[in-house]
Amino acid sequence: MSPVLVSLESGVLQVTLNRPEKLNALNPEMHKLLRAALLRAAEEPQVRAVLLTGAGRGFCAGQDLSERDVSPGAAPIDLSVSLGSYYNPLVRRMRELPKPIVCAVNGTAAGAGANIALACDIVIAARSASFIQAFSRIGLVPDSGGTWFLPRLVGSARAMALALLADKVPAEQAAEWGMIWKAVDDAQLLQESKSLCEKLANGPTKGYGLIKKVMHASGVNTLDAQLDLERDVQREAGRSEDYREGVSAFKEKRAPRFTGK
Ligand code: LHQ
């Protein structure tokens, strides 16, 4: 069985981390499969939304800690190689994908697993799921964008305490703090996430890609620069077929039939 399952249905590319016995801890093979799935999502016009989830009781426990020899006398380890080769390109690909990514957090999301979830565009978690910045428990620093996402999502006071203390944040708390979109009953998670993805897959894909671009840029832009960017992306959105369809549907008092173009 592949450690990352990929299937396309109704415009939604479902990507399931599938090493449940290790809470879907990531290894190089999984990274390669994730990269291939994201490339497919970028290249295939049939893919109009991505759903990322995990098999079993965990979403993802971050880096597979059994992969490195930390015994006394073992060769020094350079973790930056792993970040440079796998984690950073993964987060960049997710953010740059001009299609929405929904994360259905089915269980524990720890270490890089938590931050990969936060890199998605909409995060829905099962009520039993939790988020742990587990890094400091093993002497590390939050990575995979965690030091960028967390302060922006929950504010610097909570971000700092979570990074230092590595406390578990239950899904409902994460939703209350604005770390994620919402928490739902465990039994509803997959159905609700799939419906949301199908709704997105039937939406104005080109416009969604531009929304991602402009929202992400606001993290670093001044208001002045952001106003200019909004002007520029709106020019592009206004040239899409979906804009014409959206306005026509409004005038004709019917539901729009977006093609993503
Ligand atoms: C695991 C893991 C795991 C292997 C559970 N690896 N087996 C990036 C670049 C380069 C290097 C370093 O790091 C990074 C980024 C990172 O992600 S660093 C942070 C790595 N992750 C962690 O430190 C989390 C480690 N895991 C845990 O603290 C716990 O497993 C959590 C809190 C996630 C869940 O606890 P439990 O629900 O009590 O489950 P468990 O601990 O019993 O785990 C179940 C199994 O999964 C167990 O295997 P076993 O054979 O004993 O049943 C664990 O060993 C295995 N597992 N996480 N990261």
Side-chain angles (χ1 to χ4, degrees):
M1 195 62 124
S2 172
V4 176
L5 306 174
V6 181
S7 60
L8 177 62
E9 202 183 320
S10 309
V12 179
L13 193 74
Q14 182 170 333
V15 180
T16 306
L17 305 174
N18 185 39
R19 218 155 65 101
E21 71 288 356
K22 296 290 171 198
L23 304 183
N24 303 317
L26 295 166
N27 58 23
E29 188 191 359
M30 292 170 81
H31 273 289
K32 284 173 192 152
L33 293 165
L34 277 173
R35 179 167 58 202
L38 286 170
L39 284 177
R40 178 175 172 193
E43 281 166 11
E44 281 186 21
Q46 300 92 308
V47 177
R48 291 176 63 190
V50 175
L51 173 59
L52 177 64
T53 191
R57 73 177 179 89
F59 168 67
C60 175
Q63 166 68 28
D64 187 325
L65 295 177
S66 60
E67 293 232 309
R68 291 190 173 79
D69 182 2
V70 290
S71 57
I77 297 166
D78 182 353
L79 297 181
S80 76
V81 174
S82 176
L83 292 182
S85 312
Y86 297 121
Y87 289 87
N88 291 356
L90 171 66
V91 172
R92 289 194 176 106
R93 269 193 196 96
M94 292 168 68
R95 300 284 285 185
E96 284 160 14
L97 183 75
K99 299 174 185 177
I101 308 180
V102 173
C103 189
V105 182
N106 52 297
T108 311
N115 295 334
I116 287 166
L118 299 184
C120 294
D121 301 308
I122 298 181
V123 186
I124 309 185
R127 250 179 257 288
S128 68
S130 55
F131 297 80
I132 313 171
Q133 295 294 321
F135 307 87
S136 66
R137 293 184 184 178
I138 54 169
L140 293 184
V141 176
D143 60 25
S144 306
T147 60
W148 197 90
F149 296 125
L150 269 183
R152 284 168 173 78
L153 291 167
V154 300
S156 54
R158 283 170 174 158
M160 184 62 96
L162 291 178
L164 292 173
L165 303 173
D167 279 359
K168 184 189 272 198
V169 182
E172 283 195 44
Q173 175 100 79
E176 272 168 35
W177 283 0
M179 192 194 290
I180 63 168
W181 169 235
K182 63 172 157 175
V184 299
D185 289 341
D186 288 30
Q188 303 301 320
L189 178 72
L190 210 52
Q191 195 42 53
E192 195 155 327
S193 311
K194 279 186 179 173
S195 315
L196 180 54
C197 279
E198 279 170 25
K199 183 178 172 177
L200 291 167
N202 286 311
T205 313
K206 204 167 176 190
Y208 288 157
L210 294 170
I211 289 174
K212 279 185 72 162
K213 181 176 170 176
V214 76
M215 292 295 265
H216 293 164
S218 79
V220 287
N221 269 350
T222 59
L223 172 61
D224 213 35
Q226 195 67 10
L227 287 169
D228 285 348
L229 183 62
E230 287 176 0
R231 176 201 59 208
D232 293 343
V233 298
Q234 203 70 300
R235 181 188 303 121
E236 228 181 299
R239 287 175 179 157
S240 68
E241 289 179 21
D242 283 338
Y243 166 65
R244 287 172 185 269
E245 167 59 11
V247 176
S248 305
F250 173 75
K251 287 182 177 169
E252 292 159 24
K253 299 190 188 298
R254 61 171 175 81
R257 290 181 293 271
F258 292 123
T259 57
K261 291 177 196 150

